[in-house]
């Protein structure tokens, strides 16, 4: 029960991200991103100190191979954060929601193509349904839903990199932010020197920008704790709480307008999601029988 509550909390926080970052719509996406990196680095560093994990962090930084992989994952997650923040400020939360619905299917393809992981028939159907949904979106609006595809692609590749170089979420996030924090600080220094920094201009923006660090780190820590307690099938199912909440927030709270065909695209993705979960359940049952 505790693991279930942890997972719901993690995905619930992620699902409410559009509401949080919409409060910073008056701040440029690049400044929000820079503060998110800096304060996430500060927050995870404090948690590591409190938990006494400095030795593990030092060992991770000394591992050149791990540092190289985490530098790549840092670049991917930075792209993901930037596009998501921009999408929220631009009123394109529905597209970001679609991206996170597609993400598990991107991971499915990457696992099959690069890691040679097996796919059952339900997962093949899920992948084809997702492809049909993207093609339909392309034909209906005359262009690729680039926000959705960049979010799904960057996070799918991020998951692939972290799978190839597995480290715990806390130290992993600390190293990832450590890699990009110098760039973030240089950008903030340039904004300050140019008199364009929004930080410290108002109390509400300042508090929200600092809170972005904790908001980034907390769900990752909750998720890591949940993943240790729950079966993969349960974690995979609850994962869809995130884009579902984003979708509901966009339609009912942020009042985003969307063309009628966008609903059909989501229906196709939801059907693909159902096939995807059926495939996970089938694999889970087979693994249970093999262990019996």
């Amino acid at each position: 029960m505790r693991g279930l509550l942890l997972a719901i909390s993690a995905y619930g926080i992620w699902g409410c991200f559009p509401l949080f970052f919409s409060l910073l719509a008056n701040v440029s996406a690049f400044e929000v991103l820079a503060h998110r990196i800096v304060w996430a680095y500060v927050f995870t560093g404090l948690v590591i100190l409190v938990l006494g994990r400095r030795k593990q962090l030092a060992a991770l930084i000394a591992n050149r191979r791990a540092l190289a992989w985490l530098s790549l994952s840092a670049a991917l997650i930075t792209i993901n954060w930037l596009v998501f923040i921009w999408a929220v400020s631009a009123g394109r939360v529905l597209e970001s929601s679609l991206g996170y619905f597609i993400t598990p299917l991107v991971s499915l393809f990457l696992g099959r193509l690069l890691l040679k992981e097996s796919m059952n028939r339900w997962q093949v159907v899920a992948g084809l349904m997702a492809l049909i949904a993207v093609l339909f979106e392309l034909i209906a609006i005359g262009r690729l839903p680039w926000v959705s595809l960049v979010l799904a692609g960057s996070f799918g590749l991020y998951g692939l990199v972290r799978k190839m170089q597995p480290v715990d979420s806390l130290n992993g996030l600390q190293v990832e932010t450590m890699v990009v924090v110098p760039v973030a600080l240089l950008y903030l220094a340039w904004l300050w020197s140019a008199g364009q920094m929004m930080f410290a201009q108002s109390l509400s923006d300042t508090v929200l920008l600092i809170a972005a660090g904790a908001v980034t780190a907390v769900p990752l820590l909750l998720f890591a704790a949940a993943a240790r307690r729950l079966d993969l099938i349960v974690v995979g199912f609850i994962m869809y709480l995130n884009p579902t909440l984003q979708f509901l927030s966009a339609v009912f709270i942020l009042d985003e307008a969307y063309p009628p065909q966008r609903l059909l695209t989501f229906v196709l993705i939801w059907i693909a999601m159902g096939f995807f979960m059926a495939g996970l359940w089938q694999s889970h049952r087979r693994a249970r029988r093999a262990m019996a």
Side-chain angles (χ1 to χ4, degrees), residues 7 15 19 49 55-56 61 66 78 100 104 109 121 136 139 141 155 157 159 176 181 190 212 214 216 229 248 252 283:
L19 300 179
L49 286 175
K55 289 183 178 180
Q56 295 91 325
I61 294 173
T78 299
Y100 288 115
F109 279 119
R121 64 179 183 276
F136 172 77
I139 295 169
I141 66 177
F155 202 78
L157 288 169
E176 285 168 345
V181 78
W190 176 80
T216 296
R229 294 172 169 84
L248 295 174
F252 296 107
S283 300

Side-chain angles (χ1 to χ4, degrees), residues 106-178:
V106 171
S107 298
L108 187 73
F109 279 119
L110 290 173
R112 175 59 181 154
L113 293 174
L114 300 179
L115 301 180
K116 307 302 179 185
E117 295 178 349
S118 60
M119 294 172 61
N120 57 42
R121 64 179 183 276
W122 296 110
Q123 292 170 328
V124 172
V125 172
L128 291 174
M129 287 293 298
L131 179 60
I132 291 170
V134 173
L135 290 175
F136 172 77
E137 184 80 3
L138 171 62
I139 295 169
I141 66 177
R143 59 181 174 82
L144 282 172
W146 71 268
V147 170
S148 306
L149 295 180
V150 170
L151 288 174
S154 59
F155 202 78
L157 288 169
Y158 174 77
L160 175 68
V161 171
R162 291 297 295 267
K163 185 176 181 64
M164 296 179 71
Q165 182 58 57
V167 297
D168 69 276
S169 294
L170 179 60
N171 283 323
L173 181 59
Q174 174 72 1
V175 173
E176 285 168 345
T177 51
M178 179 192 74

